[in-house]
Amino acid sequence: DGGITQSPKYLFRKEGQNVTLSCEQNLNHDAMYWYRQDPGQGLRLIYYSQIVNDFQKGDIAEGYSVSREKKESFPLTVTSAQKNPTAFYLCASSPGTGDGYGYTFGSGTRLTVV
Amino acid sequence: GENVEQHPSTLSVQEGDSAVIKCTYSDSASNYFPWYKQELGKRPQLIIDIRSNVGEKKDQRIAVTLNKTAKHFSLHITETQPEDSAVYFCAWSEGGGNKLTFGTGTQLKVEL
C-alpha cells in the first residue's frame, strides 16, 4: 500500500466503545497525521506528530487520542467521548517538518457506529 | 486552522474541454501549495505542487498557477478525459511549516 498501511479497512463500533485505528509507515518519515473525512467535505486534522514521543492537537481533537512511541507507528483511538465518529479516517506521513513536503496517504479506515 | 476557500464545489465538463479549480487562502506565510486527486473510496494522491518562489508549474495536461499577492492558486486540467473524474483538493502549508490545511474539494465529472 505504497509504504503506509492503515488497518482495518472497515471498522464497526458500538455505542460507548473505544476503538483503535492502526497506521504504520516504512518510508522513514518523521511526521505523521490523522485526518477525518465526512461525505462531501474536505479533510479535517485530528492530531499530528512531528517526532517520536511528541504530538499536537489538530482542529477536531476532542474525543480522540494518539500515541507515537515508534517512528513507524501512529495509532488513533476513537473514544466514547466522540459522539459522531462515523467517518472515513485517513493517516498520512511526510518526510520532514520543514516547508514543502507533500503527504503520502494510507488507504483509509471507514468507521461506522452500530 | 486557517481557511481555504475552494471553488467550484462541483464541475462538469465535456471530454476534451479544460477544467479550472481555484483556491483562496489567508495565511501570507504559506510557501507550499499541493493539489490532491481522490477517486471514489480511495486515498488522496498528490498530482502537482508549487512553491511560492514560482508563479506557474506544468506537468503534461496539468498546471498550477500561484498569485501570492492575491492569495489564490488554481489547478488547470487541459484536454480532460473520463479518468480525470474525481474529487480534487487544494492544500497549503500553515505558517510556512509542514502541516497542511485542505480545501473543501471539487467534484469533477468529465462527460463523454
Side-chain angles (χ1 to χ4, degrees):
Chain A
D1 263 348
I4 181 165
T5 302
Q6 288 186 243
S7 62
K9 189 172 183 178
Y10 298 97
L11 186 58
F12 298 91
R13 193 194 92 167
K14 296 180 180 179
E15 294 285 349
Q17 188 180 45
N18 292 354
V19 292
T20 297
L21 284 59
S22 172
C23 179
E24 303 277 335
Q25 53 99 0
N26 61 5
L27 300 167
N28 199 33
H29 285 175
D30 289 319
M32 298 186 74
Y33 312 83
W34 274 105
Y35 285 85
R36 170 179 172 145
Q37 186 175 31
D38 293 286
Q41 296 191 31
L43 284 70
R44 293 184 291 167
L45 182 64
I46 304 172
Y47 268 99
Y48 65 104
S49 169
Q50 297 178 324
I51 196 169
V52 175
N53 293 323
D54 188 41
F55 48 83
Q56 287 80 41
K57 293 182 178 179
D59 300 320
I60 56 166
E62 185 175 352
Y64 300 97
S65 66
V66 294
S67 63
R68 187 86 186 277
E69 298 177 0
K70 298 185 300 181
K71 187 176 185 177
E72 302 80 16
S73 179
F74 192 41
L76 173 74
T77 296
V78 184
T79 74
S80 57
Q82 171 51 241
K83 298 306 178 187
N84 185 25
T86 295
F88 188 51
Y89 290 87
L90 284 160
C91 179
S93 67
S94 65
T97 55
D99 196 23
Y101 292 101
Y103 288 2
T104 298
F105 281 92
S107 55
T109 292
R110 192 166 298 279
L111 174 62
T112 303
V113 174
V114 296
Chain B
E2 299 285 345
N3 291 326
V4 180
E5 295 183 3
Q6 182 171 344
H7 299 284
S9 57
T10 60
L11 180 59
S12 184
V13 299
Q14 295 293 315
E15 183 180 8
D17 288 350
S18 296
V20 181
I21 303 169
K22 181 178 177 179
C23 285
T24 304
Y25 63 99
S26 56
D27 186 352
S28 57
S30 181
N31 290 316
Y32 177 65
F33 307 89
W35 284 90
Y36 289 83
K37 174 183 180 182
Q38 186 179 27
E39 297 178 9
L40 187 63
K42 297 188 177 181
R43 75 185 81 188
Q45 295 198 311
L46 179 68
I47 55 171
I48 195 167
D49 57 15
I50 192 168
R51 289 168 172 77
S52 59
N53 57 345
V54 297
E56 182 175 0
K57 182 177 179 180
K58 191 173 182 179
D59 182 3
Q60 299 183 347
R61 297 186 297 108
I62 295 173
V64 56
T65 58
L66 172 65
N67 184 328
K68 285 212 77 177
T69 302
K71 295 181 185 173
H72 63 73
F73 56 110
S74 299
L75 178 70
H76 305 254
I77 306 175
T78 59
E79 300 172 27
T80 53
Q81 301 168 4
E83 51 265 39
D84 294 329
S85 296
V87 178
Y88 291 82
F89 292 98
C90 63
W92 58 278
S93 58
E94 289 188 8
N98 196 47
K99 183 160 63 76
L100 295 178
T101 295
F102 287 83
T104 50
T106 296
Q107 174 75 60
L108 173 64
K109 183 177 181 181
V110 180
E111 299 177 334
L112 297 172

